[in-house]
């Protein structure tokens, strides 16, 4: 298991520019990452909601992971590997690991309703198969599901949890997450 990354500083949720055909615009991405590096970012999150990951096929997401890893070097990079299909999330996570990513991020699976127990099982299954530290990614406005404090705590007790990315409009949820992060030793 890779050691848990230290999450300090500013990590850019990376924008993924595309050309008129919908293909990754490498030159624009390179210019953007060079600008962010000059401004002192600490690391990069690839394929997050800012990167509009649902619009990319699994193959295009693999390509984006490779390009971001190359262009973001030597900064630490994390990959959002969220997918409704655990098999795809695992494939993306394994590719991220082979590219030197330090952690993966996971949102709850979208579209179908899932219980907190199902959500936890999904997170644990993917984490075990990928063998990288995990950043849970809570964005209820996009997924239709909130990761409960109990689910976060249960995951932190059973898997290598690096942190949680809390997005969306419920800013007050940060307070109990920060307290839980201090208790369980993960970043918020």
């Amino acid at each position: 298991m890779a050691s848990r990354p230290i999450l300090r500083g500013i990590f850019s949720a990376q924008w993924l520019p595309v050309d008129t055909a919908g293909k990754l615009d490498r030159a624009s991405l390179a210019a953007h990452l060079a600008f962010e590096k000059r401004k002192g970012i600490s690391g990069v999150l690839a394929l997050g909601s800012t990167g509009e990951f649902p619009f990319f096929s699994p193959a295009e997401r693999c390509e984006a992971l490779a390009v971001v890893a190359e262009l973001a070097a030597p900064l630490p990079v994390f990959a959002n590997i969220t997918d409704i299909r655990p098999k795809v999330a695992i494939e993306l996570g394994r590719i991220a690991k082979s590219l030197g990513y330090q952690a993966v991020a996971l949102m709850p699976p979208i579209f179908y309703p899932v219980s907190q127990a199902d959500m936890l099982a999904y997170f644990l299954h993917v984490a075990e198969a990928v063998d990288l530290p995990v950043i849970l990614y809570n964005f209820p406005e996009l997924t239709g599901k909130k990761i409960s404090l109990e689910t976060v705590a249960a995951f932190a007790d059973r898997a290598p949890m690096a942190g949680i990315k809390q997005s969306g409009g419920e800013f007050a949820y940060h307070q109990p997450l920060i307290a839980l992060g201090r208790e369980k030793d993960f970043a918020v």
Side-chain angles (χ1 to χ4, degrees), residues 20 24 28 117 179:
T20 56
L24 186 64
S28 294

Side-chain angles (χ1 to χ4, degrees), residues 53 56-65 80-83 92:
F53 73 91
F56 294 96
S57 71
E60 291 168 326
R61 289 169 74 186
C62 291
E63 175 192 0
L65 289 174
N80 175 32
I81 61 170
T82 299
D83 200 275
L92 291 168

Side-chain angles (χ1 to χ4, degrees), residues 129-143:
V130 170
D131 193 34
L132 278 174
V134 174
I135 301 165
L136 295 181
Y137 190 166
N138 191 47
F139 202 161
E141 289 86 346
L142 291 185
T143 63

Side-chain angles (χ1 to χ4, degrees), residues 74-142:
L75 297 175
V77 286
F78 310 130
N80 175 32
I81 61 170
T82 299
D83 200 275
I84 193 170
R85 300 157 295 193
K87 179 179 176 180
V88 171
I90 291 166
E91 175 188 351
L92 291 168
R94 288 177 174 162
I95 288 169
K97 184 174 182 177
S98 75
L99 292 167
Y101 278 68
Q102 293 189 349
V104 294
L106 279 170
M107 291 175 154
I110 60 171
F111 191 72
Y112 294 106
V114 295
S115 67
Q116 292 293 316
D118 291 337
M119 197 182 301
L120 177 60
Y122 168 80
F123 293 149
L124 290 169
H125 173 67
V126 173
E128 181 180 346
V130 170
D131 193 34
L132 278 174
V134 174
I135 301 165
L136 295 181
Y137 190 166
N138 191 47
F139 202 161
E141 289 86 346
L142 291 185

Side-chain angles (χ1 to χ4, degrees), residues 126-188:
V126 173
E128 181 180 346
V130 170
D131 193 34
L132 278 174
V134 174
I135 301 165
L136 295 181
Y137 190 166
N138 191 47
F139 202 161
E141 289 86 346
L142 291 185
T143 63
K145 300 159 190 74
K146 178 180 176 180
I147 307 172
S148 74
L149 289 172
E150 296 78 17
T151 300
V152 174
F155 182 80
D157 287 342
R158 296 173 59 190
M161 184 168 174
I164 185 164
K165 181 181 186 314
Q166 170 58 24
S167 298
E170 191 182 351
F171 194 76
Y173 194 50
H174 282 86
Q175 292 173 332
L177 282 174
I178 289 168
L180 185 61
R182 286 182 180 137
E183 175 189 335
K184 303 285 185 183
D185 192 31
F186 62 80
V188 178

